[in-house]
């Protein structure tokens, strides 16, 4: 495990914590939206950003869990950590649109969007819109959310002069997909379903979306960076429906 502690060009290693990486950063005046912020990676991201002074909007499917996470973070940080909890079910396009409308009603700028939430189901499941659940939640929901919030981000970075950040949490699992890449027929008709492949193609879609979005923003001269990240092997609740696998590739 020595490699886990070996520092890279950034000066940090795989064992570095979020608090160590953000030490000395003053995020006051910034606003971030984080999906899946009630647990796991999303909750830790919300905690550390709030610790650095960022106002965090926690986009969560389970509002009660989100409120508990918010209260725990505020109790730990003290001194006025700013967090809001809004309901968001990424598998429902109507819910994504409602979230965007509710966020707009807060009249907040938006500097950071972290598309973190994800699912990995055991069985073949369709979303309420009739789409294969992995693709609907992990990709379509985040794709729509990003586009609905993008104009706010553009205005915010233009008016503030501060670079905007869009981060899509993908996975090295993107290599586990169909030979031809993304098979859109399987999104509409998931017969012959394989949960690992369905998950993999949703994560491949995250990467392709980010690459194209980054190109578009660069061509438009917009000061917003878009990146995908593989967070490594993390023990999260993503595999809560699995009995064999105890850690996830997120």
């Amino acid at each position: 495990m020595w490699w886990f502690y070996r520092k890279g060009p950034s000066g940090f290693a795989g064992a570095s914590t979020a608090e160590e990486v953000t030490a000395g950063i003053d995020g006051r005046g910034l606003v971030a939206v984080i999906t899946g912020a009630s647990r796991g990676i999303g909750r830790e991201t919300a905690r550390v950003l709030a610790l650095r002074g960022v106002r965090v909007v926690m986009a969560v499917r389970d509002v009660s869990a989100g409120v508990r996470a918010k209260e725990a973070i505020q109790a730990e940080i003290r001194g006025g950590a700013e967090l809001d909890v809004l309901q968001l079910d990424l598998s429902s396009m109507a819910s994504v649109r409602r979230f965007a409308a509710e966020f707009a009603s807060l009249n907040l700028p938006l500097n950071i969007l972290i598309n973190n939430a994800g699912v990995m189901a055991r069985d073949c499941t369709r979303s309420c819109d009739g789409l294969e659940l992995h693709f609907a939640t992990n990709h379509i929901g985040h794709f729509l959310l990003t586009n609905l919030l993008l104009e706010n981000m553009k205005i915010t970075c233009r008016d503030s002069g501060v670079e905007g950040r869009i981060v899509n949490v993908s996975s090295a699992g993107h290599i586990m997909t169909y030979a031809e890449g993304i098979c859109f027929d399987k999104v509409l008709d998931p017969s012959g379903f394989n949960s690992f492949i369905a998950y993999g193609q949703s994560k491949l879609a995250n990467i392709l979306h980010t690459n194209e979005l980054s190109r578009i923003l660069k061509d438009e001269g917009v000061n917003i960076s878009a990146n995908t990240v593989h967070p490594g092997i993390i023990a999260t609740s993503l595999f809560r429906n699995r009995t064999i696998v105890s850690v996830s590739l997120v």
Side-chain angles (χ1 to χ4, degrees):
M1 295 291 288
W2 62 269
W3 49 267
F4 191 61
Y5 298 91
R6 185 179 63 182
K7 293 183 178 180
S10 66
F12 299 106
S16 298
T17 67
E19 286 194 29
E20 291 170 343
V21 172
T22 59
I25 292 177
D26 184 356
R28 287 175 296 181
L30 302 180
V31 176
V33 167
I34 305 172
T35 68
S38 63
R39 62 180 69 186
I41 295 172
R43 175 172 171 166
E44 178 64 3
T45 304
R47 184 187 72 82
V48 175
L49 288 184
L51 181 65
R52 302 308 177 209
V54 178
R55 179 168 180 174
V56 178
V57 177
M58 304 170 68
V60 299
R61 189 168 57 87
D62 183 343
V63 172
S64 60
V67 170
R68 289 195 298 272
K70 169 188 172 179
E71 291 173 346
I73 292 170
Q74 288 179 324
E76 176 187 341
I77 295 176
R78 300 177 183 176
E82 291 188 279
L83 301 108
D84 303 271
V85 176
L86 295 181
Q87 202 276 336
L88 171 64
D89 180 353
L90 286 159
S91 69
S92 164
M93 286 183 271
S95 178
V96 175
R97 293 185 185 279
R98 280 195 300 273
F99 172 87
E102 289 179 12
F103 178 77
S105 71
L106 297 176
N107 294 313
L108 292 173
L110 182 57
N111 305 93
I112 304 165
L113 172 60
I114 301 177
N115 291 319
N116 159 76
V119 298
M120 186 171 191
R122 176 193 294 273
D123 302 314
C124 175
T125 308
R126 291 179 184 268
S127 72
C128 61
D129 299 307
L131 303 176
E132 191 279 314
L133 186 65
H134 294 89
F135 207 80
T137 304
N138 298 348
H139 174 60
I140 297 294
H142 281 133
F143 178 91
L144 177 59
L145 178 66
T146 300
N147 279 275
L148 292 174
L149 299 181
L150 190 56
E151 188 59 30
N152 183 325
M153 294 196 73
K154 289 180 179 180
I155 292 171
T156 299
C157 76
R158 183 194 67 202
D159 293 348
S160 66
V162 177
E163 179 185 309
R165 299 286 181 91
I166 298 172
V167 178
N168 289 327
V169 178
S170 185
S171 170
H174 76 277
I175 64 173
M176 298 184 296
T177 188
Y178 300 99
E180 61 271 37
I182 293 175
C183 191
F184 289 101
D185 290 345
K186 295 292 186 182
V187 176
L188 298 173
D189 178 20
S191 56
F193 174 83
N194 179 296
S195 63
F196 287 103
I197 292 178
Y199 176 79
Q201 81 162 359
S202 73
K203 290 301 175 178
L204 175 60
N206 290 158
I207 295 171
L208 297 177
H209 167 218
T210 308
N211 289 350
E212 180 63 9
L213 178 60
S214 180
R215 184 194 66 78
I216 291 171
L217 293 171
K218 190 173 296 184
D219 287 350
E220 291 180 352
V222 178
N223 190 25
I224 299 174
S225 67
N227 296 278
T228 17
V229 59
H230 165 55
I233 300 176
I234 309 294
T236 75
S237 61
L238 185 69
F239 276 88
R240 58 186 173 274
N241 296 320
R242 303 267 168 184
T243 56
I244 298 176
V245 182
S246 60
V247 295
S248 79
L249 292 176
V250 184

